[in-house]
Amino acid sequence: AQKITQTQPGMFVQEKEAVTLDCTYDTSDQSYGLFWYKQPSSGEMIFLIYQGSYDEQNATEGRYSLNFQKARKSANLVISASQLGDSAMYFCALLSGANNLFFGTGTRLTVIP
Amino acid sequence: EAQVTQNPRYLITVTGKKLTVTCSQNMNHEYMSWYRQDPGLGLRQIYYSMNVEVTDKGDVPEGYKVSRKEKRNFPLILESPSPNQTSLYFCASSFSPGTGLFPQPQHFGDGTRLSIL
């Protein structure tokens, strides 16, 4: 069975600081993908970054990076230089099988001015 | 502009009154999917479609129907809505189904908030 765990219901970070959002996963598949999505208060789901299980280098997209530790089954999202607009819910998701995304329960990030 | 468009964005209706939520994408994506989001549960997949005329159940398909007659459209049908289907619904699409070896990011619509009284 596939499972995604986000243990931090809420996080606070000072503006311009970096923050790490935790995500651990469980899967019996050898090949899989890990994704992060952002959901602002307006409700839409915004794709941020992804990592394939065979990618040796951690994925990076602008201020977002994915700290992938395969042996520990973790795929943490790092946001550098936080901005007020980063305040949102963040979801980690595991790709398995026929592109079925399994989502965690999310982490609410609040950026403090 | 590449996008996934859902309609309506908001709907309040009553138990038993059939409704359809439309979803359309303009990116020529093969794969489309419907999710529902409920507090504390994250997003759960309802149905997905690998291509035209190919649909399959996700994790929570009970009470829903879908069809994929054209590549761009993937409507979600609630034949007899009930209050436990009150939720935030998302349609998503990706270029191909994707695999763990070649993951494909799914692009989401803006969501449809359904309230069933």
Side-chain angles (χ1 to χ4, degrees), chain B residues 11-30:
Chain B
L11 179 62
I12 301 174
T13 187
V14 295
T15 299
K17 186 176 180 181
K18 181 180 177 179
L19 68 91
T20 300
V21 184
T22 63
C23 174
S24 181
Q25 51 90 6
N26 62 0
M27 296 170 278
N28 202 34
H29 283 173
E30 288 184 354

Side-chain angles (χ1 to χ4, degrees), chain A residues 31-35 37 39 42-47 50-55 89 91 95 97-106, chain B residues 9 31 35 37 40-45 48 50 58-59 88 90 94 96-110:
Chain A
S31 304
Y32 50 89
L34 293 150
F35 297 77
Y37 285 85
Q39 187 176 39
S42 50
E44 68 268 31
M45 293 289 287
I46 303 167
F47 163 70
Y50 79 93
Q51 176 101 30
S53 58
Y54 290 106
D55 293 339
M89 282 289 285
F91 291 95
L95 171 70
N99 217 35
N100 188 359
L101 276 178
F102 295 91
F103 284 83
T105 52
Chain B
R9 292 291 312 279
Y31 182 92
Y35 297 86
Q37 182 180 16
L41 295 176
L43 281 78
R44 294 175 293 167
Q45 191 179 54
Y48 64 92
M50 306 275 266
D59 297 319
L88 177 59
F90 286 100
S94 62
S96 69
T99 65
L101 272 175
F102 303 104
Q104 292 283 330
Q106 294 186 19
H107 299 275
F108 284 73
D110 288 342

Side-chain angles (χ1 to χ4, degrees), chain B residues 20-114:
Chain B
T20 300
V21 184
T22 63
C23 174
S24 181
Q25 51 90 6
N26 62 0
M27 296 170 278
N28 202 34
H29 283 173
E30 288 184 354
Y31 182 92
M32 298 186 74
S33 181
W34 276 103
Y35 297 86
R36 61 177 287 175
Q37 182 180 16
D38 302 291
L41 295 176
L43 281 78
R44 294 175 293 167
Q45 191 179 54
I46 303 170
Y47 270 93
Y48 64 92
S49 170
M50 306 275 266
N51 213 325
V52 176
E53 300 292 2
V54 181
T55 63
D56 210 343
K57 296 177 181 179
D59 297 319
V60 287
E62 294 77 22
Y64 304 95
K65 284 175 59 177
V66 293
S67 68
R68 187 94 181 270
K69 293 184 172 59
E70 305 164 284
K71 197 171 187 179
R72 63 181 294 131
N73 296 323
F74 189 45
L76 179 70
I77 303 157
L78 284 72
E79 292 270 4
S80 183
S82 62
N84 64 11
Q85 292 177 298
T86 292
S87 188
L88 177 59
Y89 291 84
F90 286 100
C91 180
S93 73
S94 62
F95 182 72
S96 69
T99 65
L101 272 175
F102 303 104
Q104 292 283 330
Q106 294 186 19
H107 299 275
F108 284 73
D110 288 342
T112 295
R113 192 167 293 279
L114 283 184

